[in-house]
Amino acid sequence: MRAEEEGETLALVVRLAATCLGGTGALVHRHDRAAGRLLLVAATGLSTESEREWADLPDERDGAPAQALERGRLVCVAGDRPGIGSAAIPLPGPDGPIGVLTVLTAEPGEPDEVQRSLLGVLAGWAGARLGGGPGSSTLSAPPTGAERSVQMGELTTALAEAVTSRDVVEAVAEYVLPPFGADGLVFQILEGGRLNVVGASGYAQDFLSLLDGIPLAAHAPVRDVLRTRTPRFIEAKAEIFRRYPTMTRINEASPKEAVVFLPMIASGRAIGLCVVSFSRPRSFSNEERTLLTALSGLVGQSLERARLYDVEHARARELQRGLLPRTLPRLPAARAAARYLPAGRGEQVGGDWYDLIALSADRVAMVIGDVMGHGIAEAATMGRLRTAVRTLADLEIPPDELFSRLNDLVSELGEDFYATCLYAVFDPVARTCTYSLAGHPPPVLVHPDGTVHSPDVAPDPPLGAAKPPFETHQLHLPDESLLVLYTDGLVESATRDVDQGLAQLRQMLSRSAAGTVCFGAADEDADVRCLEELCDKVVSGLLPDHETTTDDAGLLVVHARCTAAHDVASLDLPNDPRAAGQAREYVRERLGAWGLDDELVLTTELLVSELVGNVVRHARDPVRLRLLRSRSLICEVYDGSLTTPRIRHASHTDEGGRGLQLVAALSRRWGARYLHDGKCIWTEQDLEPPQAAGGPGFRE
């Protein structure tokens, strides 16, 4: 074997040995009998200074390598310099040991039975490669020996970088199957007495379904391999039938002829099986058996680590998804669709979130945000912020004030917590979208003709780093327009800056939205389907290779539908006792014109009379009544006072104090919102579906 090929093989041996024992490093020494020295020929995990200390050792030195060479067996030493502990095993040669394989361990202790077996096969492999020391004739390897060594070296690197179980399966399929001419691979994990398939290559799904979940007691070959912790090499299918007659059904269904059953051992226990298979019968050389046996321990430890990550990552993802809205509401003034895409290559979950919140008077709050960083803490913070936004939105405070309170919440979490956010309120009557930005990109507005507009505004700093007040911005929305909200993970990547990503998003929206059925769709389901399709187009266009992304991405597309002018009625009222009568008369007139039934008219007269009467008694000018016809009938009474209305408990002898109790009893819901120059008391009453659907101008 050429010197470079020998070096590659020994480098692989020390990496495998260190991995199999969980060591901090490993070394191979060649024994120079004439000089009485142990000469270092391969090492891993050692500093330059440590390599110099181990480079040339007397073969009579009181250390693990010398003792293993002298005794001809595995020797474990606690406190052997420079490691805390070391395990050394001689390399067999034709006339006695020709060197030593040593693993430096982080803690003292002896290897278990499986680890001893793995060290033995690795020592035998290294001994065969050294071929008896300097000046001795080397053993000739098969033509593919050097290539296999290179492939196995690449495998150890790939397994070290593997994060998920799928990564481990892909690494073994790429670096193990080709060098051995194999074409089948199955990973089975032992859980609760059953063998569950966690990854495979080269098998049809029907066959894998036979294997998945099979009881260990019913799978004789696997049971024997896991019990003895010894690999089983089957060179032809006839041998399986002969040795395991109870496995007829699986054996007949299997398309493979030769099979290698490799036990996967991790943390001293058998965690499952790695099955490498071949479409044709074949025999296995000693070298192949040695190499596959050694690799089984390496793969087992990698898979156990990946499985732990998979479980924790799945729990974190489930937590994050549980904190996001499962469905978005279908509101009179807004339909919406959204996408959340976790980072494809990220090791932890992120904190992107979105929401759509119904406010009074058919107004809609839209929010999208991104907690900076990745991890469980960030996902939990996202959940707290989403809950806080919904609570503050219910108070109907403007975006800048909401951000001031949200900023206090984020600041209290600590100096390391920051979040970007966009909060917007769409008023379908005024046809405006009022929003504030905290370190977040502005929304994108898509007109019905496909024109795309992205406001050029500077956001305030992120929540947690900002100092109020926050700026308020406003967009005037044409009817049937789209508002697109997104996080930076959608438009920014390692190969594309934010400006390039935003330009690409605008182009995509212009092409996809122009002439779409979203605009003017009379059918609610068709409207939502259109928005879902648009989300898919945007995501696939901007993140075509999502599996390689390193940041989460959030997208919220809202179809804004303005209220028709004939569904709004308004009347200015005097601040005197005549106001209640005028309000009742106006209600009868407008509700009659809208074709609403007499019972609803009477109920609305009572509500309006009570609300206007309270304003006249307790508030001040200006007084105004507004009626909105939507899915419900909305009555609003405005005044110039900031006094908060409260329901109080009137005693049996009180002559008043029951007005708001009457309002609460007659309406589906009611409340108050505050303006810069006064307040609005509002009520909502349900409309009967036939009347709501048939009323003029009403769009469902």
Side-chain angles (χ1 to χ4, degrees), residues 27 46 49-50 52-54 57 61-65 77-86 102 104:
L27 319 92
L46 272 67
E49 181 180 353
S50 295
R52 285 198 296 267
E53 294 180 3
W54 288 97
L57 304 176
R61 178 176 174 173
D62 187 18
V77 175
D80 199 25
R81 192 171 59 89
I84 296 177
S86 58
T102 306
L104 307 178

Side-chain angles (χ1 to χ4, degrees), residues 15-16 19-20 118 152 155-156 158-160 162 164-165 167-173 175-177 185-189 198 262-267 271-276 291-307:
R15 285 199 297 269
L16 289 172
T19 302
C20 290
L118 290 171
M152 295 307 103
L155 172 66
T156 59
L159 291 178
T164 66
S165 299
D167 294 338
V168 174
V169 174
E170 290 177 350
V172 175
Y175 297 110
V176 174
L177 301 191
L185 177 69
V186 178
F187 280 91
Q188 291 178 282
I189 292 294
V198 296
L262 300 171
M264 292 190 295
I265 312 298
S267 303
I271 64 170
L273 203 75
C274 173
V275 181
V276 179
L291 185 54
L292 286 171
T293 302
L295 288 176
S296 65
L298 175 66
V299 173
Q301 293 190 29
S302 298
L303 187 62
E304 182 186 44
R305 183 185 68 245
R307 289 277 291 169

Side-chain angles (χ1 to χ4, degrees), residues 570-641:
S570 180
L571 176 67
D572 292 327
L573 296 169
N575 189 11
D576 60 46
R578 296 173 301 166
Q582 294 177 13
R584 288 194 297 271
E585 182 180 351
Y586 190 73
V587 165
R588 286 193 299 271
E589 175 189 338
R590 292 311 307 162
L591 269 58
W594 284 338
L596 302 179
D597 61 55
D598 293 339
E599 183 178 348
L600 185 64
V601 172
L602 291 174
T603 304
T604 307
E605 284 188 72
L606 286 174
L607 288 171
V608 169
S609 182
E610 182 59 41
L611 294 178
V612 172
N614 281 342
V615 168
V616 171
R617 286 191 296 271
H618 305 295
R620 59 174 182 266
D621 289 339
V623 182
R624 182 165 61 94
L625 168 66
R626 189 172 77 164
L627 303 174
L628 303 177
R629 182 179 58 155
S630 179
R631 291 180 183 170
S632 59
L633 179 63
I634 302 167
C635 301
E636 299 177 322
V637 175
Y638 295 81
D639 64 65
S641 171

Side-chain angles (χ1 to χ4, degrees), residues 438-451:
H440 206 88
V444 175
L445 174 62
V446 184
H447 293 253
D449 62 358
T451 303

